[in-house]
Amino acid sequence: MPPLDTFAHRITDGTVALYFNCSRPAPGIVRVDGWANNPYYPRPIMDLELILYGVNAQGTNVSQAKVSTQSYNIETNEPSPFTVDLRTAGSEVRYDLVYQYWVGALAKMSRGE
């Protein structure tokens, strides 16, 4: 994983820590590029999915893209990269990043903005 100071954003829920940057690599594309880590949890985080929503001024989702991390199981301190490319609709005023994963028999969902 690159040094933490190379990431503009960080989200953590106590089990998963996401480090990422946002960019516009081409017209009509928003990219969230980063790493997911399991810094403390003693069991693997499984099937981590990230969904990036483009939201308009009325609060409606007008675009979305979903990806999984490169690794299905993220063991303690074994980070996994991810890249989400969202094709925009053109009316977005903000972007919400939502993620979900399994730990044991429990599913967790969190939202980062």
Side-chain angles (χ1 to χ4, degrees), residues 47-88:
D47 194 21
L48 177 60
E49 294 181 323
L50 301 106
I51 307 165
L52 182 61
Y53 292 100
V55 182
N56 67 14
Q58 291 74 38
T60 303
N61 296 333
V62 294
S63 57
Q64 75 177 54
K66 180 170 110 171
V67 299
S68 295
T69 53
Q70 185 175 338
S71 300
Y72 181 82
N73 288 327
I74 302 175
E75 302 286 343
T76 306
N77 289 317
E78 293 184 13
S80 182
F82 64 87
T83 300
V84 185
D85 282 332
L86 175 70
R87 190 167 300 281
T88 62

Side-chain angles (χ1 to χ4, degrees), residues 2 4-6 12 19 24-27 29-30 48 53 55 65 67 69 73 76 83 87 90-91 93-94 101 104 108:
L4 295 181
D5 62 357
T6 63
T12 185
Y19 307 91
R24 292 185 178 264
I29 301 290
V30 170
L48 177 60
Y53 292 100
V55 182
V67 299
T69 53
N73 288 327
T76 306
T83 300
R87 190 167 300 281
S91 59
V93 296
R94 77 168 198 263
Y101 58 91
K108 292 187 78 175

Side-chain angles (χ1 to χ4, degrees), residues 18 31 36-37 52-55 58 65 79 81 92 98 101 104 113:
L18 301 178
R31 175 173 289 163
N37 193 20
L52 182 61
Y53 292 100
V55 182
Q58 291 74 38
E92 293 87 353
V98 175
Y101 58 91
E113 296 181 29

